[in-house]
């Protein structure tokens, strides 16, 4: 899904309409009880059902959504790097696309997890489904993150975890360097 207008439809109007269509088709495939969850979480569940592969650097084209990845900076376990020939999403590309669909515009913008954490604010108490979950080290002086997911509640997150995987649900405790919950 992209944000190009068709037949004179504006980008925001098209994105909102597309999100509505996604929700109508998603309700049958989402776990019971998710209909009351925030739009961000509903969209994340719809994307998860598509089996979109992880691609290092995927989701960072000019418009949010799956794109071919890049091998620049790749240190994954699968050699040679498959990213340049894989259309998919990395963790921040996934978060960027979900938030763009939910908000009707690219609110997280381009960049990686470090850029995205700087555009949000830390949630000190009571995280809510739809918040972003960052991993790495975040201090007042520096931001050095390496992963982001979308909080689902109950210690779970939706994320694009690693090369060779698809967008999926994982326990937040799967990674040892939890840095906090963040929200726009």
């Amino acid at each position: 899904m992209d944000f190009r207008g068709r037949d004179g439809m504006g980008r925001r109007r098209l994105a909102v309409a597309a999100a509505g269509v996604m929700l109508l088709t998603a309700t049958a495939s989402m776990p019971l009880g998710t209909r009351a969850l925030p739009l961000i979480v509903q969209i994340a569940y719809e994307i998860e059902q598509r089996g979109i592969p992880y691609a290092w650097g995927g989701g960072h084209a000019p418009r949010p959504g799956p794109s071919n990845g890049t091998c620049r900076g790749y240190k994954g376990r699968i050699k040679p790097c498959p990213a340049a020939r894989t259309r998919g999403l990395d963790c921040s590309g996934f978060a960027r696309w979900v938030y763009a669909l939910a908000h009707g515009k690219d609110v997280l913008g381009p960049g990686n997890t470090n850029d995205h954490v700087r555009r949000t604010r830390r949630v000190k108490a009571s995280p809510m489904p739809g918040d972003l979950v960052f991993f790495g080290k975040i201090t007042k002086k520096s931001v050095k993150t390496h992963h982001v997911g979308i909080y689902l509640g109950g210690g779970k997150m939706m994320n694009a975890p690693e090369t060779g995987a698809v967008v999926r649900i994982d326990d937040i405790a799967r990674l040892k360097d939890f840095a906090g919950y963040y929200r726009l």
Side-chain angles (χ1 to χ4, degrees):
M1 187 169 309
D2 64 29
F3 291 96
R4 287 177 280 207
R6 293 188 181 98
D7 302 326
M9 223 182 202
R11 287 200 283 176
R12 176 161 172 70
R13 196 167 143 212
L14 179 61
V16 170
V21 168
M22 285 176 57
L23 289 177
L24 289 174
T25 61
T27 55
S29 60
M30 288 188 298
L32 218 51
T34 57
R35 292 180 195 194
L37 290 174
L39 182 59
I40 291 166
V41 175
Q42 291 180 13
I43 291 169
Y45 273 111
E46 171 64 22
I47 291 171
E48 184 229 4
Q49 293 299 312
R50 295 179 183 190
I52 297 172
Y54 179 93
W56 175 262
H60 296 284
R63 291 189 176 104
S67 65
N68 282 358
T70 179
C71 290
R72 194 178 73 208
Y74 176 79
K75 294 180 175 116
R77 60 180 169 76
I78 297 175
K79 305 290 185 201
C81 168
R85 63 182 184 276
T86 304
R87 184 169 178 80
L89 301 162
D90 67 7
C91 63
S92 56
F94 169 66
R96 177 186 181 204
W97 190 33
V98 170
Y99 268 62
L101 289 170
H103 291 275
K105 63 182 182 178
D106 189 8
V107 293
L108 290 178
N112 60 27
T113 56
N114 291 337
D115 300 310
H116 292 172
V117 78
R118 288 183 182 109
R119 294 182 186 116
T120 59
R121 61 184 166 79
R122 187 177 181 113
V123 175
K124 295 186 182 191
S126 303
M128 299 182 62
D131 286 341
L132 295 171
V133 182
F134 284 93
F135 297 86
K137 188 168 179 141
I138 302 170
T139 68
K140 288 185 180 198
K141 294 184 180 184
S142 71
V143 174
K144 205 166 193 172
T145 58
H146 63 86
H147 191 66
V148 64
I150 296 173
Y151 181 57
L152 302 175
K156 303 281 186 189
M157 68 176 167
M158 181 89 59
N159 67 135
E162 61 199 1
T163 301
V166 295
V167 171
R168 69 182 190 208
I169 298 170
D170 282 319
D171 288 328
I172 291 171
R174 176 180 168 267
L175 297 172
K176 303 302 178 210
D177 54 353
F178 173 74
Y181 298 98
Y182 286 75
R183 171 180 307 156
L184 278 178

